[in-house]
Amino acid sequence: RSIHFFYLSTDLYQTSVCLVIDLDDRFLPFIDGLFVDPIESAQIIDTTLMSIEQQIKQSYSGCAFGAALKAACLALTEYGGGQILSTLSQIPIVSPGKLNLKVSDVNEIEWIKSICTPSDKYYQQLLKEFVANNVALNLFVAPQRSVDLGNLGNLAVKSGGTVREWYHFDIERDE
């Protein structure tokens, strides 16, 4: 329900976190310390990743995927573009970018067309921003339930990224 920005500095023992809770009006709270050299900052990165893992286990309340992608695009635009590596395990349920499962109706052919066709205006606009700012999305999908690859996969592929799927992903077996 919020976007977390992690300040990763080699001078810190523990990362600083800035939360942005207004998902409709995203901004970058800082730019220095957002991207760091992975070798010089290996210790703070490892500590931060462990912290994120614990936070997710304790207080996960929904997927604000659309807002997170928009924030990542803003950050990469400051550097002239780049690639977003993202994992997704469920359909985004928090606005903006909230998606609904497309349910099967009587006509199976029309239903198949609807799940394969990008139709969400938010992700179509986001695709235009990605392309204009040289940002690509590489999407790694490990769903336990349905996700909307018609919209999200289209964003990844048409921005110059890829989609990789791991169906029947089991955290215990595949971690």
Side-chain angles (χ1 to χ4, degrees):
R1 307 247 177 233
S2 60
I3 301 174
H4 296 70
F5 291 89
F6 297 91
Y7 182 73
L8 303 170
S9 172
T10 55
D11 301 334
L12 298 175
Y13 175 72
Q14 188 174 4
T15 187
S16 297
V17 181
C18 182
L19 297 177
V20 174
I21 58 173
D22 185 357
L23 299 179
D24 292 316
D25 186 25
R26 286 156 310 279
F27 65 93
L28 296 176
F30 56 86
I31 195 69
D32 293 331
L34 194 58
F35 297 106
V36 294
D37 183 295
I39 295 171
E40 291 177 12
S41 301
Q43 181 179 357
I44 191 74
I45 292 170
D46 287 341
T47 304
T48 302
L49 290 173
M50 286 188 284
S51 171
I52 291 170
E53 183 178 9
Q54 291 304 313
Q55 289 173 6
I56 289 172
K57 287 180 181 177
Q58 294 171 2
S59 65
Y60 183 73
S61 65
C63 181
F65 193 68
L69 289 178
K70 176 71 174 182
C73 182
L74 286 172
L76 288 172
T77 299
E78 293 289 322
Y79 290 96
Q83 293 193 20
I84 299 169
L85 301 175
S86 178
T87 59
L88 183 67
S89 63
Q90 66 174 297
I91 197 163
I93 60 171
V94 178
S95 290
K98 175 182 178 180
L99 293 170
N100 296 313
L101 287 177
K102 297 176 181 176
V103 291
S104 175
D105 54 7
V106 182
N107 187 340
E108 187 174 340
I109 293 173
E110 291 301 316
W111 177 70
I112 290 172
K113 280 198 265 187
S114 77
I115 63 173
C116 295
T117 304
S119 59
D120 188 84
K121 300 282 187 241
Y122 180 83
Y123 291 103
Q124 290 174 355
Q125 181 59 39
L126 195 55
L127 173 60
K128 290 177 185 174
E129 291 178 36
F130 274 33
V131 171
N133 293 300
N134 299 315
V135 174
L137 171 64
N138 292 294
L139 183 60
F140 299 90
V141 184
Q144 304 213 345
R145 295 181 209 110
S146 295
V147 295
D148 186 346
L149 287 181
N151 286 299
L152 301 173
N154 182 64
L155 174 62
V157 172
K158 289 198 174 175
S159 68
T162 60
V163 177
R164 300 282 188 251
E165 307 94 3
W166 283 275
Y167 296 108
H168 309 295
F169 179 81
D170 180 4
I171 191 80
E172 300 294 323
R173 180 190 67 217
D174 301 325
E175 185 178 15

